[in-house]
Amino acid sequence: MSRRTLKLGAVLLGVGGPGQHNTWLNPEIPADASVDIDWYIARAKEAEAAKFDLVFIVDSQFITENSPHHYLSRLEPLTLLSALAVHTRHIGLVGTATTSYNEPFNLARRLYSLDHISRGRAGWNVVTSGDAGTAGNYSRDEHYDYATRYGRAHEHVRVAQGLWDSYEADAFPRDRESNTFFDPSKQHALNHKGEHFSVVGPLNLERSPQGQPVIFQAGDSEEGRDLGAAIAEVIFTHAPTLEKAQAFRTELRERAAAKGRDPEHVLILPGIGLIIADTDEEARAKEDARLGAKSFDRALKELGRPFGWHDFTQYDLDAPFPDVAHLGERSFRTQAEGITKLAKDNAFTLRQVVEHLSAAGRSPFVGSPETVADTIQLWFEQGGLDGLNVMVNAPSEFALFTEKVLPILRERGVVRSEYESTTLRGNLGLPIPANRHTAAREHAVQADEPTPALVP
């Protein structure tokens, strides 16, 4: 068994995501970076040169005038990643796609096309769409409730995985001498009829080099954690302290084991903000400057997102935090409940909530290259994480990590020095899923029984 090593993801956020109010002002970053394919290609190549496992593209499909700058105008993930695929050779390509507002056949085909274009480097970040306003963009008057969203998500993923097994690995001999292009016995319809979807199949794409795209997921609600434990191979999260990171990783691995899964095949990758300077003091001063430059007005407006983009500017800033928890019921419910609880437990005013959340943006990964490397190694070896998702905006800041911190971690054996595979699964140390039809046939041969009909 190969030694466990830290996995690395790069989150490409262009002109700035939530809380990054002034990122777009940095002269290093093109003002249209979020729609500039050359910016993405350059960042993906830098991440690949540093032997990152993947680049990750976040997404949502509803915006307001108060959405973060990157969200206001950005490229569709699978289209973008297909372009990156032909400019890279090893790095994984992971994109967000919602199960609430996509049909399984269409999305399975798009993801599998990316997997083929990249020769086995695709990953799917499964989301259920937290922005309730998305419903209005898809001919619905109201967003799905939590139970429906997560029920659809679980079924959606299982249908996609079934479609990805439409062809067995040897279905296409393409033997010109015998005039045999494909073996019809190795093509399989799905014939799925479930609570949310009815899909006949088969998918019109042969098996990919990694079998199936890697399934990623992020969700902190009870339903989200249960879904992650059931379907995810990599889970994105946020961990403000080592103790909370350890608790989350332990819980998700235990949930996965309870569902009959191997917990070693569930990797936890929290998103982190890195702030690196020559000394710890300089790094903390850099962090203070970034936090101090945040716009209170923008933070107040962005606060509305978990609550269905509720307008908080209508309230007295110095009055008690308004009773609006119910507005998050069909939006980012867990986040809305957490903010409401924070305000209640501390008797915070609206102003104090905004100030507290802005200040809470401090990262544990701040300091000199040695300090940051020490912290990452500690979290990794103490079971807080299996890898990192590094936020990428300014190239020079990313270079501080790749050129100053990574060499230290490589020297210590925490991070591998070279790619070990040509596929995303291979580099993450995840197994290739067996084709269900091939596995059923092989089992039947061993047991000397007829091949069973598989239940979709």
Side-chain angles (χ1 to χ4, degrees), residues 203-281:
L203 187 67
N204 54 343
L205 264 175
E206 61 196 82
R207 189 164 171 82
S208 82
Q210 66 172 352
Q212 297 186 2
V214 179
I215 301 297
F216 292 71
Q217 187 265 350
D220 201 31
S221 66
E222 177 65 23
E223 296 92 337
R225 293 185 183 212
D226 194 60
L227 177 67
I231 59 109
E233 296 165 286
V234 183
I235 295 177
F236 295 144
T237 186
H238 170 68
T241 66
L242 173 58
E243 292 72 24
K244 289 185 178 180
Q246 290 169 323
F248 181 86
R249 182 172 181 268
T250 298
E251 179 188 342
L252 265 294
R253 287 164 63 88
E254 288 176 349
R255 286 188 185 228
K259 293 179 182 295
R261 300 183 60 202
D262 184 344
E264 295 299 322
H265 298 156
V266 180
L267 307 179
I268 309 300
L269 270 67
I272 66 167
L274 290 166
I275 300 182
I276 303 163
D278 290 339
T279 68
D280 292 352
E281 293 74 21

Side-chain angles (χ1 to χ4, degrees), residues 205-406:
L205 264 175
E206 61 196 82
R207 189 164 171 82
S208 82
Q210 66 172 352
Q212 297 186 2
V214 179
I215 301 297
F216 292 71
Q217 187 265 350
D220 201 31
S221 66
E222 177 65 23
E223 296 92 337
R225 293 185 183 212
D226 194 60
L227 177 67
I231 59 109
E233 296 165 286
V234 183
I235 295 177
F236 295 144
T237 186
H238 170 68
T241 66
L242 173 58
E243 292 72 24
K244 289 185 178 180
Q246 290 169 323
F248 181 86
R249 182 172 181 268
T250 298
E251 179 188 342
L252 265 294
R253 287 164 63 88
E254 288 176 349
R255 286 188 185 228
K259 293 179 182 295
R261 300 183 60 202
D262 184 344
E264 295 299 322
H265 298 156
V266 180
L267 307 179
I268 309 300
L269 270 67
I272 66 167
L274 290 166
I275 300 182
I276 303 163
D278 290 339
T279 68
D280 292 352
E281 293 74 21
E282 290 173 349
R284 286 297 172 190
K286 184 191 290 189
E287 183 181 45
D288 289 342
R290 288 186 187 177
L291 292 174
K294 283 188 177 183
S295 165
F296 180 91
D297 289 341
R298 284 201 64 85
L300 176 65
K301 292 173 181 177
E302 285 184 6
L303 179 64
R305 190 183 185 207
F307 300 88
W309 280 111
H310 183 62
D311 181 11
F312 281 95
T313 65
Q314 64 185 293
Y315 300 105
D316 179 352
L317 289 173
D318 297 307
F321 190 80
D323 183 15
V324 293
H326 63 284
L327 297 177
E329 185 59 36
R330 296 200 179 208
S331 191
F332 295 92
R333 187 185 69 193
T334 303
Q335 189 178 354
E337 290 175 346
I339 293 170
T340 304
K341 185 177 186 300
L342 168 75
K344 183 178 180 180
D345 290 350
N346 295 279
F348 278 168
T349 63
L350 175 56
R351 185 191 303 277
Q352 289 171 320
V353 167
V354 174
E355 291 174 343
H356 178 89
L357 293 176
S358 294
R362 290 192 179 278
S363 169
F365 303 93
V366 177
S368 68
E370 190 85 20
T371 295
V372 171
D374 289 345
T375 305
I376 291 172
Q377 183 174 1
L378 176 66
W379 281 47
F380 178 63
E381 294 179 347
Q382 293 296 314
L385 47 78
D386 298 294
L388 306 171
N389 258 331
V390 179
M391 308 302 166
V392 179
N393 299 109
S396 63
E397 292 295 324
F398 187 45
L400 288 175
F401 178 67
T402 60
E403 297 175 8
K404 301 288 188 180
V405 178
L406 279 187

